[in-house]
Amino acid sequence: MPHWDPSSWTTKAALQQPAYEDPDQLQSVVATLANRPPLVTSWEVERLKSQLALASQGGAFLLQGGDCNESFDACQAGPIEKKLKVLLQMSLVLVYGMHKPVIRVGRIAGQYAKPRSNDTETRDGVTLPSYRGDCVNRSPFTPEDRKTRPELLLGAYDRSAQTLNYLRALTEGGFADINHPENWELDFVSQSARSEEYHQMVRGIGDSLRFIDTIGGVTRADLSRVDFYTSHEALLLPYEQALTRRAISRDGWYNLGTHYPWIGDRTRDIHGAHVEYFRGIRNPIGIKIGPTATADGVVALLDTLNPDREIGRITLICRFGASKIGDSLPPLIQAVEASRHPVLWSIDPMHGNTVTTDGGIKTRHFDRILDEVRDSFTIHASHGTIVGGIHLELTGNNVTECVGGTGGIQSSDLGRAYESNVDPRLNYEQAMEIAFLIAGRAREAT
Ligand code: PEP
Ligand code: CO
């Protein structure tokens, strides 16, 4: 591999980076961060990679989900628990329906930087820098809030550590115990259309566990914990560089600020700084692929980012949109197959389906999201390739951000509980609906 170190990206053009007024202050924050302990270990990262390798071959399924944009304010017990609850419930539906292990990954504990279409935002004739996520500036539309502040990087590290600490305690300490799915109930679930189906399934699993217990098979301790991994878009390169470390007991560099970083659709230029950064880390990585990607371009990215063709290294997170997937995905599958690069194909049915209402609110139609999921399964089936995962923006809060679904959210409901300050997320019911859809597809296919 041509020379690489964690700062090599600085020799290339880095898109979507905020302008810091005082580069010395930024450097001093980066130096502080570089001395902080890592948040994850290379052992965990490698274990995830081997599970993703299995998923790429059909032996497991990746469930990746969480906020579009984590906020510092939401680093609290309640929102963290709720997100974990939704992901645990969805994974139970998927395991039960697909008969395969589910790899649970949150867009969590580090998802604090956002790419934006414009550097500035204008409201009522006033123009200010765009909000770029809580690790860069703040969302309220005032000059003070929109100022880029390097110390927010330390705030992001601290919140990531606190979030991850709580997630580890919950997933290791009995909360996720499959013998006690009541731990993951959400208050408003009984009103949900899928509630009865879910609870019936949970009762069935309870019966099976008691049966296994009586004949003596699996010990209850085996089922009292789950693996849970973190991911975020590695967008803000000074932060990612500071969390990039040499592994303790193996060769190479790892991003130890998260298990599973991904490259955004807007920053995957093969000559750009992000690809340069990702080239040198050993983590499994995601690449967001949108309608502007060409088949040759994707294969070139695979050549650069996975020259050794390591299985589990690359996840292609396809986010074309329901109206474009039919034209965009087949040539890509054909080119990747012809290149013989091993990849895990995942679906992000969110980012290609964002629309703005007449009232100027960003939303997504649930039916278009379902269409993209269904089409993705159909297209892969016709090519003999495997959908190995799904990537969703969701929350455990009972929000009204995406329209449609069994809860019948209309555009007029969007104002009622719209909490996201970037992209609209699925609420609990909508997220569960997708889990049931995928589980049903898997049943039909077998
Ligand atoms: C995101 O995942 O929030 C995002 C910005 O996605 P994309 O890079 O696919 O547009
Ligand atoms: Co988003």
Side-chain angles (χ1 to χ4, degrees):
M1 178 168 103
H3 170 79
W4 184 93
D5 69 61
S7 68
S8 310
W9 64 268
T10 53
T11 61
K12 311 270 179 169
L15 298 181
Q16 296 285 343
Q17 306 300 295
Y20 286 97
E21 275 169 25
D22 181 351
D24 290 344
Q25 203 192 348
L26 174 67
Q27 281 324 311
S28 133
V29 168
V30 168
T32 304
L33 271 176
N35 281 320
R36 291 272 200 270
L39 300 175
V40 304
T41 66
S42 66
W43 289 275
E44 294 171 334
V45 170
E46 286 295 333
R47 187 168 73 231
L48 170 63
K49 205 196 284 175
S50 63
Q51 294 175 3
L52 293 170
L54 198 63
S56 69
Q57 295 160 326
F61 191 78
L62 164 70
L63 170 63
Q64 185 174 16
D67 292 320
C68 176
N69 174 42
E70 279 185 280
S71 73
F72 282 5
D73 287 348
C75 179
Q76 295 176 25
I80 297 170
E81 288 161 15
K82 283 188 198 159
K83 261 174 268 178
L84 184 60
K85 284 177 178 184
V86 176
L87 290 168
L88 288 173
Q89 289 195 21
M90 291 177 78
S91 69
L92 201 63
V93 170
L94 292 170
V95 169
Y96 194 72
M98 301 183 95
H99 306 291
K100 40 176 101 157
V102 167
I103 309 162
R104 301 167 196 86
V105 179
R107 287 176 61 116
I108 201 164
Q111 177 54 19
Y112 292 114
K114 297 309 299 172
R116 304 315 305 253
S117 312
N118 298 306
D119 286 340
T120 57
E121 182 182 346
T122 301
R123 289 190 202 173
D124 301 327
V126 179
T127 299
L128 293 176
S130 294
Y131 167 62
R132 290 183 171 274
D134 279 7
C135 69
V136 175
N137 56 5
R138 292 185 302 229
S139 166
F141 194 73
T142 72
E144 189 49 28
D145 284 307
R146 292 295 173 91
K147 240 169 88 177
T148 298
R149 296 191 298 146
E151 69 274 18
L152 294 175
L153 297 179
L154 294 168
Y157 171 86
D158 290 346
R159 262 78 169 190
S160 300
Q162 290 157 15
T163 303
L164 189 52
N165 179 58
Y166 192 42
L167 286 169
R168 287 190 195 284
L170 287 170
T171 52
E172 294 290 338
F175 174 85
D177 190 337
I178 194 162
N179 295 291
H180 293 285
E182 69 279 5
N183 290 342
W184 336 323
E185 290 286 329
L186 286 153
D187 296 340
F188 47 85
V189 164
S190 52
Q191 304 146 22
S192 138
R194 285 291 193 178
S195 175
E196 185 42 37
E197 196 172 348
Y198 174 73
H199 286 104
Q200 219 171 354
M201 188 194 79
V202 166
R203 282 193 294 276
I205 293 172
D207 287 345
S208 311
L209 289 173
R210 277 185 290 281
F211 173 72
I212 291 171
D213 237 14
T214 19
I215 60 167
V218 188
T219 63
R220 291 209 160 214
D222 292 338
L223 302 169
S224 68
R225 62 167 301 283
V226 294
D227 284 344
F228 190 86
Y229 299 100
T230 60
S231 67
H232 66 252
E233 178 174 350
L235 181 71
L236 201 53
L237 292 170
Y239 180 86
E240 304 303 334
Q241 175 190 328
L243 271 301
T244 302
R245 312 289 170 82
R246 278 193 192 281
I248 296 172
S249 69
R250 43 172 71 86
D251 288 342
W253 294 92
Y254 286 77
N255 182 323
L256 297 181
T258 186
H259 297 109
Y260 189 21
W262 77 82
I263 311 183
D265 190 42
R266 297 170 218 210
T267 47
R268 58 173 163 69
D269 175 7
I270 195 155
H271 303 297
H274 290 81
V275 170
E276 174 60 20
Y277 169 73
F278 274 81
R279 179 170 79 80
I281 56 169
R282 296 265 172 113
N283 303 59
I285 62 173
I287 311 173
K288 290 286 204 97
I289 301 291
T292 57
T294 62
D296 288 351
V298 170
V299 172
L301 278 175
L302 297 176
D303 287 338
T304 300
L305 292 167
N306 194 17
D308 299 333
R309 298 174 182 235
E310 186 186 8
I311 306 178
R313 157 80 171 160
I314 306 268
T315 304
L316 293 180
I317 309 168
C318 297
R319 32 85 81 225
F320 298 114
S323 62
K324 297 193 174 142
I325 185 171
D327 288 334
S328 297
L329 183 56
L332 221 72
I333 295 178
Q334 284 152 15
V336 172
E337 284 288 285
S339 76
R340 308 191 75 80
H341 267 288
V343 300
L344 167 56
W345 293 100
S346 180
I347 319 163
D348 166 358
M350 312 297 296
H351 287 90
N353 292 310
T354 316
V355 290
T356 305
T357 65
D358 293 342
I361 304 175
K362 246 190 187 186
T363 189
R364 290 161 173 157
H365 288 269
F366 189 63
D367 288 343
R368 299 292 80 69
I369 293 172
L370 290 182
D371 286 345
E372 186 160 1
V373 174
R374 284 196 199 97
D375 286 355
S376 183
F377 274 94
T378 307
I379 293 168
H380 277 288
S382 71
H383 286 80
T385 42
I386 294 164
V387 178
I390 183 122
H391 181 117
L392 300 169
E393 288 186 340
L394 54 80
T395 171
N397 295 356
N398 201 8
V399 298
T400 55
E401 297 175 3
C402 293
V403 291
T406 46
I409 297 173
Q410 313 278 320
S411 330
S412 54
D413 297 316
L414 291 176
R416 187 151 47 80
Y418 199 107
E419 295 169 10
S420 174
N421 52 13
V422 185
D423 287 341
R425 301 157 299 175
L426 301 171
N427 62 22
Y428 166 79
E429 275 193 76
Q430 293 166 331
M432 290 300 278
E433 193 73 31
I434 292 191
F436 277 106
L437 170 80
I438 295 175
R441 276 305 288 221
R443 256 197 310 275
E444 279 163 29
T446 51

